[in-house]
Amino acid sequence: PPTVTQPGDPIIASSSNSPGSEGAANAIDNTQAKYLNFDQRTPNNPPSGFAVTPSIGASLVTGIAITSANDAPERDPSTFVLEGSNDVGLDYNTNNWTFIVGYTNIPAFANRFETQTFLFDNYTPYKNYRWVCIAVATPNGCCMQVAEVSILGSSAPKDVTQPGDPIVASSSNSPGSEGAANA
């Protein structure tokens, strides 16, 4: 499936703990520029990641592709979660996030700028997505990094019906003002 995000989509990092040129926007810029976040430092190892609102609107996501960054394999994600929200607006912490999928024990990336793709079933479209790296390949005193996180799917299906379309109820057992046309 294609990527539902594009460079310039609204994106918020889990924190401002990134070097200026290696911020969260790099995770969806379709380049090899890396997103590096220092939240993953030991000993606490708090999760790090980002939240994004695809400009295509609500989308139905059925995959994710992660590309390793240029160096330091110990910083590669090894466990991540993808969540969705239909809240108006985007906030990493306060949106009502719903679990979509999670992966643990991701195989080590054999090469730098290698992409691993994960496909899954999902039947609920969302307006916002949050990608959270729970653990890195090797706990380290530095960080988590990725070159790209491609959230894969398509625009949410559109309602093809409209008021006035011919409709037939299953029975005439409804009050006059509460008939099938209200659906």
Side-chain angles (χ1 to χ4, degrees):
T3 301
V4 301
T5 60
Q6 60 184 355
D9 283 352
I11 188 167
I12 298 172
S14 56
S15 73
S16 59
N17 288 337
S18 296
S21 64
E22 296 177 341
N26 290 354
I28 63 163
D29 68 353
N30 298 329
T31 74
Q32 293 181 340
K34 73 178 164 188
Y35 167 40
L36 184 141
N37 187 296
F38 293 117
D39 289 350
Q40 206 71 35
R41 289 182 176 169
T42 55
N44 310 19
N45 293 322
S48 55
F50 62 86
V52 62
T53 301
S55 59
I56 65 168
S59 54
L60 188 59
V61 170
T62 56
I64 193 163
I66 299 174
T67 303
S68 60
N70 63 322
D71 63 0
E74 67 273 10
R75 301 174 184 173
D76 293 342
S78 66
T79 300
F80 73 85
V81 170
L82 181 66
E83 299 165 311
S85 170
N86 281 315
D87 290 356
V88 174
L90 180 66
D91 188 285
Y92 184 87
N93 293 309
T94 63
N95 277 48
N96 294 303
W97 296 107
T98 300
F99 178 85
I100 299 172
V101 71
Y103 286 90
T104 60
N105 301 317
I106 296 170
F109 290 86
N111 299 297
R112 301 294 80 207
F113 302 120
E114 176 186 348
T115 300
Q116 293 187 29
T117 302
F118 308 89
L119 300 176
F120 48 86
D121 291 329
N122 173 40
Y123 304 102
T124 305
Y126 292 101
K127 296 176 187 173
N128 308 299
Y129 294 94
R130 180 167 72 171
W131 180 81
V132 182
C133 176
I134 306 296
V136 292
T138 305
N140 61 77
C142 178
C143 46
M144 176 282 304
Q145 69 179 21
V146 290
E148 198 74 13
V149 177
S150 299
I151 301 172
L152 310 173
S154 61
S155 293
K158 306 293 185 222
D159 185 352
V160 297
T161 62
Q162 57 185 342
D165 282 350
I167 187 167
V168 177
S170 60
S171 74
S172 59
N173 200 11
S174 296
S177 65
E178 297 175 1
N182 289 352

